[in-house]
């Protein structure tokens, strides 16, 4: 029988900010045992990729493990792949950043394994054709992509094998199609079925490259792969086969010519493109094909993080060219996991969002010169936002969406205290047996959100978004003016529903930062021709990593945990986060009701539905009457 070739590859990754116990568990149950099995089989050759942050952790905690891999690299048994150091989605960042990311990981690989990698693992296989130029300039010769990418170019997937040349502006790189059947079979089908597939298929060359976490971290896989001996038997059958040989990519690349030339449309793996569609569309397995960048539309919080990074980049561009530490902090903010969501946590994980803001705030602080106020379209929606920066705070205001505050950075702690996310419909919600915890928001849940409540509103029905909103101020545009270069005035001529009629109402808010304080004053003017009764509430959402463990709320000498809903009459409320050594107080100039309640999202993890605490919602609210042309300050 004619010899066949199998390129086996695994991609190992942990996101920046992941917990120490998670990393250690992954090492003991996945990364370490895989190599322990591999070293028993001298005929098996492996291609492997580690993201840079994980590689640095392994270097600190398990250097002997890396030394063992270095021995295999020297012997030609393992080929190490490069990538973006912090595993960014490469196409969404400037070409200079991409090259920095790739070269940083190549440098680390050279330091640890004494090789200069020629191959690259592309994060989430998010491809755009102009990446060819980036990869070529970074001295990358080849990379694996899903065969789905090739299929989108019109090639029958069943005919794909070997590698293909692709080009952009005269730059070239080679792409290997990852076999979908193998990606789904390994390590879940029987070893015999996989070997039979390879033997009976008419093709000669096969590529498998997939998440290493499938081998021990996915539910049930540690027992299946290691305790029950799946991987041992798989390697045994390959080793005993006279017709099947495992090779590294570099060996294959040197030995065989390309199978042809190809141009690939913007794409990722099929599931990713489906997840990027609007949830109501993706659940129907529709004919529509998504684009990874749709996540910036699907999750405004993702877009705001991404655009914050680019905004800071522009502010500290000169420093990035001079200071490696600042450059590293900037690059660290780009890790991909937090910008999207499929089946698993992603953007719904608060500690990952926190890691993005921490890195980019640190980078920004290094380049801070003096207090300034910027007016620019930071989120790229054609409407300007207002950014106030000083030594203590960053304050981001969106006049076009309710005059809200969507980011508030306490620079001393390197933390964005409005690092929140709204509760949105996801297609997998249809599978939930218990719908009680499933609450969906109709507006983006940030801060300084202006409500006018109906008479039957309560803490309970407001927290569950089952209340009556009488005003049109929550998500509608405000006009703005800047006074003395520091006082921001936001105003809206809107309406409120009262006594069966839509009545004119003007709302003006003045915002100023002083030290560690944000001072806000309001004026509400009744411009209708009749007296009206109003129930006004101002909504704040503050991010905490947990609803327990040293987080609590204090009002009138009463202490409450964040997971409880509370109504109290007071003129101040204080949130304590002992883990971050952080205290946030809201102080008003008169006694009023304060509501405090938790915001939870329901998403999926590897173990099924997961209820995640996202933020603490605080709503000071008050009722009053206004005669025609009368205002309340």
């Amino acid at each position: 029988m004619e010899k066949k070739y199998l390129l086996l590859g695994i991609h190992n990754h942990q996101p920046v900010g992941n917990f120490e116990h998670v990393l250690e568990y992954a090492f003991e149950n996945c990364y370490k045992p895989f190599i322990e099995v591999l070293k028993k089989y001298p005929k098996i050759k492996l291609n492997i990729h580690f993201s840079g942050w994980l590689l640095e952790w392994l270097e600190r905690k398990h250097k002997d493990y890396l030394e063992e891999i270095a021995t295999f690299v020297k012997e030609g048994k393992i080929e190490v792949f490069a990538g973006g150091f912090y595993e960014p989605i490469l196409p969404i960042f400037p070409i200079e950043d991409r090259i920095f990311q790739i070269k940083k990981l190549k440098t680390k690989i050279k330091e640890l394994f004494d090789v200069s990698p020629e191959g690259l693992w592309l994060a989430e296989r998010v491809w755009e054709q102009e990446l060819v130029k980036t990869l070529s300039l970074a001295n990358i010769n080849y990379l694996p992509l899903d065969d789905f990418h090739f299929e989108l170019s019109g090639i029958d997937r069943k005919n794909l094998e070997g590698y293909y040349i692709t080009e952009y502006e005269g730059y070239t790189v080679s792409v290997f199609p990852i076999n979908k059947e193998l990606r789904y079979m390994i390590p879940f089908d029987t070893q015999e079925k996989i070997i039979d597939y390879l033997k009976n298929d008419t093709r000669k060359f096969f590529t498998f490259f997939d998440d290493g976490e499938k081998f021990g971290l996915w539910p049930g896989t540690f027992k299946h792969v290691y305790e029950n001996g799946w991987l041992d038997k798989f390697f045994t059958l390959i080793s005993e086969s006279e017709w099947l040989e495992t090779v590294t990519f570099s060996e294959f690349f040197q030995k065989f010519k390309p199978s042809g030339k190809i141009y690939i449309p913007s794409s990722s793996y099929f599931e990713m493109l489906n997840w990027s569609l609007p949830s109501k569309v993706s659940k129907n397995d529709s004919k529509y094909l998504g684009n990874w960048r749709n996540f910036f539309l699907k999750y405004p919080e993702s877009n705001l993080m991404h655009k914050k990074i680019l905004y800071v980049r522009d502010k500290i561009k000169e420093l990035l060219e001079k200071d490696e530490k600042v450059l590293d902090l900037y690059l660290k903010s780009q890790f991909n996991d937090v910008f999207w969501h499929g089946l698993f946590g992603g953007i719904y994980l608060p500690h990952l969002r926190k890691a993005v803001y921490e890195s980019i705030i640190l980078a920004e602080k290094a380049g801070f010169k003096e207090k300034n106020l910027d007016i620019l379209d930071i989120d790229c929606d054609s409407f300007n936002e207002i950014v106030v920066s000083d030594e203590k705070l960053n304050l981001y205001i969106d006049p076009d969406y309710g005059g809200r505050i969507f980011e508030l950075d306490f620079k001393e702690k390197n933390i964005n205290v409005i690092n929140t996310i709204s509760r949105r419909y996801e297609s997998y919600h249809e599978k939930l047996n218990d719908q009680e915890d499933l609450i969906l928001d109709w507006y983006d849940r940030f801060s300084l959100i202006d409500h006018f409540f109906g008479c039957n509103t309560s803490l309970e029905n407001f927290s569950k978004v089952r209340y009556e909103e009488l005003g049109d101020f929550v998500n509608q545009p405000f006009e703005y003016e800047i006074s003395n270069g520091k006082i921001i005035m936001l105003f809206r001529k809107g309406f409120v529903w009262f006594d069966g009629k839509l009545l004119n109402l003007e709302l003006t808010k003045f915002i100023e930062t002083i030290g560690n304080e944000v001072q806000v004053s309001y004026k509400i003017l009744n411009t209708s021709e009749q007296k009206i009764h109003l129930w006004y509430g101002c909504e704040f959402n503050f991010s905490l990593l947990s609803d327990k463990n040293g987080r609590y709320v204090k009002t009138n000498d009463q202490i409450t945990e964040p997971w409880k809903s509370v109504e109290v009459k007071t003129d101040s409320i204080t949130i304590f986060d002992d883990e971050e050594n952080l205290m946030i107080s809201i102080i008003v100039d008169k006694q009023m009701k304060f509501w405090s309640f938790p915001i939870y999202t329901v998403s999926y993890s590897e173990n099924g539905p997961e209820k995640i605490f996202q933020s603490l919602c605080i709503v000071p609210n008050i009722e009053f009457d206004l005669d025609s042309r009368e205002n309340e300050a």
Side-chain angles (χ1 to χ4, degrees):
M1 181 177 178
E2 184 182 19
K3 184 178 284 291
K4 295 192 175 188
Y5 296 87
L6 175 62
L7 296 102
L8 280 176
I10 57 170
H11 148 66
N12 296 329
H13 167 61
Q14 294 293 326
V16 173
N18 213 354
F19 301 118
E20 183 73 17
H21 70 273
V22 174
L23 294 166
E24 197 61 53
Y25 183 85
F27 175 75
E28 292 293 339
N29 289 271
C30 179
Y31 309 139
K32 179 183 176 181
F34 192 101
I35 297 300
E36 289 295 315
V37 174
L38 177 69
K39 66 185 181 183
K40 295 189 293 184
Y41 297 90
K43 289 186 177 180
I44 301 297
K45 292 185 177 181
L46 181 71
N47 304 275
I48 194 167
H49 167 258
F50 294 95
S51 56
W53 192 73
L54 173 59
L55 206 53
E56 284 184 326
W57 181 84
L58 290 168
E59 186 181 16
R60 291 194 307 271
K61 299 291 185 176
H62 300 285
K63 193 157 187 179
D64 54 338
Y65 169 79
L66 295 182
E67 289 171 351
E68 196 163 37
I69 291 177
T71 300
F72 291 146
V73 171
K74 188 176 181 179
E75 295 171 351
K77 183 178 179 65
I78 287 181
E79 178 177 348
V80 181
F81 270 53
F85 192 93
Y86 292 109
E87 197 73 359
I89 300 297
L90 287 177
I92 68 173
F93 293 107
I95 189 169
E96 296 88 351
D97 294 5
R98 305 173 198 169
I99 293 174
F100 278 137
Q101 289 271 9
I102 296 168
K103 288 189 173 180
K104 182 176 175 65
L105 186 51
K106 290 183 72 172
T107 299
K108 176 57 70 174
I109 291 170
K110 177 68 175 176
E111 176 188 325
L112 292 173
F113 306 117
D114 195 29
V115 291
S116 296
E118 299 179 71
L120 175 134
W121 174 259
L122 184 65
E124 303 303 329
R125 285 95 82 197
V126 179
W127 174 266
E128 293 181 9
Q129 188 65 23
E130 49 94 17
L131 276 176
V132 173
K133 182 176 180 179
T134 300
L135 301 178
S136 181
L137 291 173
N139 296 315
I140 295 296
N141 290 328
Y142 46 80
L143 70 157
L145 294 173
D146 283 38
D147 51 14
F148 177 67
H149 292 67
F150 294 75
E151 195 172 16
L152 292 174
S153 298
I155 302 177
D156 188 339
R157 192 165 52 80
K158 294 180 180 179
N159 295 329
L160 287 168
E161 61 177 325
Y163 66 94
Y164 295 75
I165 299 293
T166 191
E167 170 271 335
Y168 183 82
E169 291 185 353
Y171 295 90
T172 62
V173 72
S174 297
V175 285
F176 286 75
I178 301 170
N179 184 284
K180 179 181 179 180
E181 284 74 19
L182 290 178
R183 190 162 66 88
Y184 278 73
M185 286 193 289
I186 298 174
F188 306 108
D189 272 327
T190 65
Q191 301 87 340
E192 292 84 358
K193 183 176 179 180
I194 297 167
I195 297 298
D196 284 345
Y197 168 77
L198 294 169
K199 188 173 186 178
N200 296 323
D201 194 284
T202 57
R203 289 170 290 184
K204 184 178 178 180
F205 309 130
F206 302 87
T207 297
F208 168 85
F209 214 129
D210 207 356
D211 295 349
E213 289 76 18
K214 292 169 71 171
F215 300 87
L217 276 191
W218 288 20
T221 56
F222 179 79
K223 181 177 181 180
H224 171 65
V225 172
Y226 302 115
E227 292 182 353
N228 294 342
W230 188 95
L231 190 59
D232 264 302
K233 186 176 180 182
F234 182 55
F235 284 168
T236 296
L237 291 182
I238 294 175
S239 299
E240 292 175 349
S241 171
E242 296 181 357
W243 54 270
L244 182 60
E245 179 181 346
T246 57
V247 292
T248 63
F249 277 70
S250 60
E251 287 176 326
F252 189 94
F253 190 67
Q254 293 168 13
K255 187 172 184 178
F256 296 103
K257 293 181 179 180
S259 299
K261 187 176 178 181
I262 192 171
Y263 290 95
I264 301 172
S266 297
S267 51
S268 179
Y269 51 91
F270 173 79
E271 295 89 344
M272 176 69 82
L273 297 185
N274 186 254
W275 294 331
S276 74
L277 292 166
S279 295
K280 299 277 186 183
V281 174
S282 64
K283 78 169 187 174
N284 296 322
D285 288 328
S286 77
K287 62 183 179 181
Y288 300 108
L289 195 62
N291 182 299
W292 192 93
R293 292 175 187 261
N294 286 340
F295 287 114
F296 293 148
L297 301 177
K298 193 171 183 177
Y299 304 105
E301 300 86 354
S302 171
N303 185 50
L304 292 173
M305 281 189 293
H306 178 252
K307 301 311 183 290
K308 158 89 172 183
I309 292 169
L310 297 182
Y311 169 67
V312 171
R313 183 188 196 278
D314 189 58
K315 291 176 66 177
I316 64 171
K317 188 173 182 179
E318 292 183 5
L319 190 59
L320 295 176
E321 298 169 357
K322 301 174 184 176
D323 193 319
E324 286 189 15
K325 290 184 178 179
V326 177
L327 175 62
D328 185 60
L329 287 167
Y330 167 71
L331 296 177
K332 188 182 291 187
S333 70
Q334 297 179 349
F335 70 96
N336 80 83
D337 312 68
V338 71
F339 291 100
W340 60 279
H341 175 67
L343 282 180
F344 305 143
I347 194 170
Y348 284 108
L349 298 178
H351 63 288
L352 298 189
R353 300 197 307 271
K354 178 180 182 293
V356 169
Y357 282 109
E358 181 178 27
S359 295
I360 199 62
I361 291 169
L362 280 166
E364 183 180 23
K365 280 168 55 175
F368 178 77
K369 295 178 181 177
E370 58 187 17
K371 181 171 181 175
N372 72 297
L373 187 151
D374 287 340
I375 299 175
L376 74 166
D377 180 14
I378 196 169
D379 60 357
C380 301
D381 65 351
S382 84
F383 299 100
N384 283 338
E385 285 74 49
I386 303 168
V387 183
V388 179
S389 300
D390 60 30
E391 290 186 15
K392 300 289 186 180
L393 300 174
N394 288 326
L395 180 68
Y396 289 63
I397 300 168
D398 188 352
D400 187 61
Y401 195 113
R404 64 184 177 178
I405 297 173
F406 63 89
E407 181 175 338
L408 176 57
D409 302 330
F410 285 174
K411 290 185 175 180
E412 183 181 349
K413 301 295 182 183
N414 307 312
I415 190 170
N416 170 21
V417 298
I418 310 180
N419 168 21
T420 65
I421 190 168
S422 299
R423 299 169 291 191
R424 294 186 177 84
Y425 169 79
E426 301 286 357
S427 57
Y428 52 67
H429 286 155
E430 305 288 343
K431 302 175 185 177
L432 295 174
N433 295 322
D434 184 5
Q435 299 284 326
E436 181 63 28
D437 290 330
L438 188 59
I439 301 168
L440 304 179
D441 294 316
W442 58 270
Y443 58 91
D444 293 346
R445 195 166 282 278
F446 290 104
S447 287
L448 213 65
I449 300 170
D450 303 303
H451 296 279
F452 289 93
F453 301 129
C455 61
N456 293 321
T457 304
S458 65
L459 168 57
E460 181 179 6
N461 63 27
F462 178 74
S463 66
K464 294 181 178 179
V465 199
R466 296 168 187 165
Y467 72 105
E468 186 179 19
E469 182 72 55
L470 301 184
D472 70 340
F473 296 87
V474 170
N475 58 3
Q476 295 303 300
F478 278 62
E479 298 179 66
Y480 65 90
E481 292 180 3
I482 311 295
S483 300
N484 301 322
K486 62 178 182 177
I487 299 176
I488 301 161
M489 181 176 70
L490 299 152
F491 53 96
R492 174 171 172 76
K493 295 180 179 180
F495 302 94
V496 65
W497 186 261
F498 177 74
D499 198 22
K501 290 177 283 188
L502 203 58
L503 303 179
N504 295 321
L505 192 74
E506 291 185 10
L507 187 150
T508 306
K509 43 191 173 184
F510 303 86
I511 306 172
E512 184 178 6
T513 61
I514 302 175
N516 265 337
E517 296 181 5
V518 179
Q519 296 186 357
V520 183
S521 58
Y522 273 86
K523 185 173 77 172
I524 300 173
L525 175 64
N526 176 13
T527 55
S528 74
E529 300 300 319
Q530 70 176 79
K531 182 178 181 177
I532 56 177
H533 178 80
L534 297 173
W535 184 358
Y536 170 77
C538 185
E539 178 181 343
F540 298 86
N541 288 278
F542 297 107
S543 53
L544 302 170
L545 286 188
S546 171
D547 56 2
K548 49 184 78 72
N549 300 329
R551 284 93 176 181
Y552 56 95
V553 182
K554 188 174 182 181
T555 54
N556 300 338
D557 296 324
Q558 177 183 347
I559 291 178
T560 307
E561 293 178 302
W563 54 267
K564 294 180 180 178
S565 294
V566 176
E567 178 177 295
V568 63
K569 191 166 186 179
T570 185
D571 61 2
S572 67
I573 190 169
T574 302
I575 304 165
F576 291 87
D577 186 338
D578 291 345
E579 290 290 314
E580 299 289 344
N581 193 23
L582 180 68
M583 181 181 74
I584 304 169
S585 294
I586 300 177
I587 303 170
V588 294
D589 61 359
K590 61 184 71 175
Q591 290 265 320
M592 60 180 68
K593 280 192 293 188
F594 273 72
W595 292 336
S596 172
F597 60 92
I599 301 294
Y600 295 97
T601 55
V602 178
S603 61
Y604 264 67
S605 72
E606 292 86 342
N607 298 311
E610 185 174 33
K611 184 178 177 181
I612 303 176
F613 175 76
Q614 296 292 350
S615 59
L616 181 68
C617 186
I618 306 288
V619 186
N621 58 95
I622 188 170
E623 296 186 60
F624 52 89
D625 294 314
L626 285 181
D627 286 326
S628 177
R629 308 306 303 176
E630 183 182 8
N631 70 71
E632 174 78 8

